[in-house]
Amino acid sequence: MEFESCFPVWDKLTAEQQGRLQKQLALRSFKKGAQVHGGRAECTGLLLVKAGQLRAYILSSEGRQITLYRLFERDVCLFSASCVLRSVQFEVTIEAEKDTELWVIPAEAYQRVMQQSAPLANYTGEVMAARFSEVMWLVEQLLWKSMDKRLAAFLLEEAAIEGTARLRITHEAIANHLGTHREVVTRLLRYFQAEGMVKGSRGAVELLDEKRLSALAADQI
Amino acid sequence: MEFESCFPVWDKLTAEQQGRLQKQLALRSFKKGAQVHGGRAECTGLLLVKAGQLRAYILSSEGRQITLYRLFERDVCLFSASCVLRSVQFEVTIEAEKDTELWVIPAEAYQRVMQQSAPLANYTGEVMAARFSEVMWLVEQLLWKSMDKRLAAFLLEEAAIEGTARLRITHEAIANHLGTHREVVTRLLRYFQAEGMVKGSRGAVELLDEKRLSALAADQI
């Protein structure tokens, strides 16, 4: 899989614009758990995922985390290049959630092409709108949903991403996705287990009743 | 004040693009409290505020509200034209918070120009990034700040917007900004009053100790 076939508006760029981007491209690999982007001043560049999985999250001053969204094959990460958009006033951290290969497009090269190219500028807007929608979903969850419903939704989403009902994940990691404390996750999973919805073991959670978890996540029980 | 001088990238559009937008423009007025945009299917168009103040908020299924951001003179509202951006998957409601005059640019006309014009597409991206930043600020507030600190920050922001320490606002309205219940606001304001930070009366809240409210909002007490 080559960059040209992965990058959505490639065909709408001029040969000169394509050349400018291609000259600056770098293919990089990250091991699962590695930090890909983070910190205030950094402008890593845009990332295009070739293979693997990234997680974007924010950090509180006390070190608590919450997952904003995930990036999969062919997804573009904008906020690792927030210097491109002057109006972006927040910082996200990006980590490799699986072994990941990605292309880095330096922010300056991208910005120069985007300033000339309506297709690239419009594409960038669409990417931002997609991430914005994911964050708005999170806002609604934080506002109107209790933690048990958010946990049920998270377990179902994980099972869908991983393609298995047996998730290898710690309570600590779940807490870092949901912006809560490990103790809260442990208490809720104990309750889910008592109700027969999941079965827990060391470092793993098995989903036993996805139908009931779905109903809980959807506010039906 | 004319549209041409209000709209930031006007000079970077071709005469034909300018004509296309101008032909479709409509100047409209809304009384304080009126709903400017709302509901799922609607695509009102982009709004450019000539005078007044708008509030963008979301609604829960039970009718609870939370303010996402405010729009002032010369601000552009994108999400009243979410049909322009395919990737926008959420709905905001816009109301006039003061008597407001605004230009409506029909979504279709805007979209056609944006598809050709890199300056307009980039400008649209910057507007979206600015709103995204405001929503991320809200996410951080929701996650890491307790309601007393959020209320202190809200009162200070209101005083700055209105240019007065005596706010004419009900507990119900404050609750609708913060995404909470009226009772919670009443209880917190009673506590603020006992501490000498505010003084309440019917339909009004007076800020007595802005320094202490600032310290509270900034997590210093």
Side-chain angles (χ1 to χ4, degrees), chain A residues 87 89 114 122 126 133 143, chain B residues 66 87 89 114 122 126 133:
Chain A
S87 311
Q89 300 288 330
M114 185 170 78
N122 279 298
E126 286 292 341
S133 298
L143 279 169
Chain B
I66 188 164
S87 312
Q89 300 289 333
M114 186 169 78
N122 279 298
E126 287 292 341
S133 298

Side-chain angles (χ1 to χ4, degrees), chain B residues 5-202:
Chain B
S5 61
C6 250
F7 193 73
V9 289
W10 188 253
D11 296 341
K12 293 183 181 152
L13 302 179
T14 65
E16 194 222 328
Q17 291 165 347
Q18 290 178 345
R20 181 169 286 166
L21 291 182
Q22 206 144 29
K23 211 169 57 186
Q24 304 267 343
L25 271 187
L27 186 61
R28 290 188 60 189
S29 297
F30 292 89
K31 284 280 166 208
K32 179 178 170 171
Q35 184 168 306
V36 177
H37 168 79
R40 277 226 153 256
E42 225 180 322
C43 200
T44 307
L46 281 95
L47 311 175
L48 176 63
V49 180
K50 186 179 183 189
Q53 185 174 318
L54 301 177
R55 176 170 87 99
Y57 63 94
I58 52 172
L59 266 174
S60 76
S61 51
E62 295 88 37
R64 272 170 72 198
Q65 305 181 0
I66 188 164
T67 300
L68 295 177
Y69 48 80
R70 262 79 170 266
L71 298 165
F72 304 96
E73 206 176 292
R74 290 172 184 263
D75 277 340
V76 168
C77 182
L78 279 184
F79 296 113
S80 49
S82 55
C83 48
V84 166
L85 294 150
R86 280 167 300 140
S87 312
V88 171
Q89 300 289 333
F90 57 94
E91 281 295 322
V92 299
T93 308
I94 315 281
E95 72 168 22
E97 230 179 359
K98 297 182 177 168
D99 290 350
T100 298
E101 241 192 328
L102 52 79
W103 286 283
V104 181
I105 315 171
E108 206 213 348
Y110 191 90
Q111 188 166 28
R112 282 182 68 180
V113 176
M114 186 169 78
Q115 268 157 11
Q116 300 168 354
S117 163
L120 188 60
N122 279 298
Y123 169 69
T124 308
E126 287 292 341
V127 171
M128 191 161 27
R131 301 297 164 260
F132 203 151
S133 298
E134 292 179 278
V135 169
M136 284 302 299
W137 182 87
L138 175 64
V139 169
E140 295 184 357
Q141 295 276 314
L142 290 174
L143 278 168
W144 328 123
K145 293 251 182 181
S146 54
M147 191 54 83
D148 60 335
K149 294 176 197 300
R150 290 179 56 208
L151 176 57
F154 172 78
L155 293 174
L156 291 164
E157 193 194 345
E158 282 300 299
I161 291 174
E162 299 296 332
T164 170
R166 196 181 146 78
L167 304 172
R168 299 205 48 82
I169 192 167
T170 64
H171 297 188
E172 181 77 35
I174 296 174
N176 283 340
H177 280 292
L178 296 175
T180 185
H181 295 285
R182 189 188 54 75
E183 295 72 16
V184 175
V185 172
T186 300
R187 182 166 48 74
L188 285 171
L189 283 175
R190 203 176 292 147
Y191 159 70
F192 283 8
Q193 180 154 344
E195 294 283 313
M197 291 190 278
V198 306
K199 193 180 149 196
S201 57
R202 194 161 181 79

Side-chain angles (χ1 to χ4, degrees), chain A:
Chain A
M1 200 168 64
E2 289 308 304
F3 180 78
E4 298 83 331
S5 61
C6 251
F7 193 72
V9 288
W10 189 254
D11 295 341
K12 294 185 181 151
L13 301 178
T14 65
E16 193 223 329
Q17 291 164 347
Q18 289 178 345
R20 180 169 286 166
L21 291 182
Q22 206 142 30
K23 209 170 59 185
Q24 303 268 342
L25 271 187
L27 186 61
R28 292 187 62 189
S29 296
F30 293 88
K31 284 278 165 210
K32 180 180 171 171
Q35 184 170 305
V36 177
H37 167 81
R40 277 226 152 257
E42 223 179 322
C43 200
T44 308
L46 280 94
L47 312 175
L48 175 62
V49 180
K50 187 180 182 187
Q53 184 175 318
L54 301 177
R55 176 171 87 98
Y57 63 94
I58 53 173
L59 266 174
S60 76
S61 50
E62 294 88 38
R64 274 170 70 199
Q65 305 181 0
I66 187 163
T67 300
L68 295 177
Y69 48 81
R70 262 78 171 267
L71 297 165
F72 303 95
E73 207 177 291
R74 290 170 187 261
D75 276 341
V76 168
C77 181
L78 278 184
F79 296 114
S80 49
S82 55
C83 48
V84 166
L85 292 151
R86 280 167 299 137
S87 311
V88 171
Q89 300 288 330
F90 56 93
E91 281 295 322
V92 300
T93 308
I94 314 280
E95 73 168 20
E97 231 178 359
K98 297 185 176 166
D99 290 350
T100 298
E101 242 194 327
L102 51 81
W103 287 284
V104 180
I105 315 169
E108 208 212 348
Y110 192 89
Q111 187 166 29
R112 281 182 68 181
V113 176
M114 185 170 78
Q115 270 158 9
Q116 299 168 354
S117 163
L120 188 60
N122 279 298
Y123 170 69
T124 308
E126 286 292 341
V127 171
M128 189 158 33
R131 301 296 165 261
F132 203 152
S133 298
E134 292 179 279
V135 169
M136 285 301 301
W137 182 86
L138 175 64
V139 169
E140 294 184 359
Q141 295 276 313
L142 290 173
L143 279 169
W144 329 123
K145 292 250 183 183
S146 54
M147 190 55 82
D148 60 335
K149 294 176 197 299
R150 290 179 55 209
L151 177 58
F154 172 77
L155 294 174
L156 291 165
E157 193 194 344
E158 282 300 300
I161 291 174
E162 299 297 332
T164 169
R166 195 182 147 77
L167 304 172
R168 299 204 48 82
I169 192 166
T170 64
H171 296 188
E172 181 76 35
I174 296 173
N176 283 341
H177 280 292
L178 296 176
T180 186
H181 296 284
R182 188 189 54 73
E183 294 75 15
V184 175
V185 172
T186 300
R187 182 164 48 75
L188 284 171
L189 283 175
R190 203 175 296 144
Y191 159 71
F192 284 8
Q193 181 154 343
E195 295 284 313
M197 291 189 278
V198 305
K199 193 180 148 195
S201 58
R202 195 162 179 79
V205 179
E206 191 174 353
L207 279 57
L208 298 180
D209 189 345
E210 300 203 11
K211 211 169 147 187
R212 196 140 164 246
L213 286 167
S214 297
L216 178 61
D219 255 339
Q220 288 156 359
I221 51 175

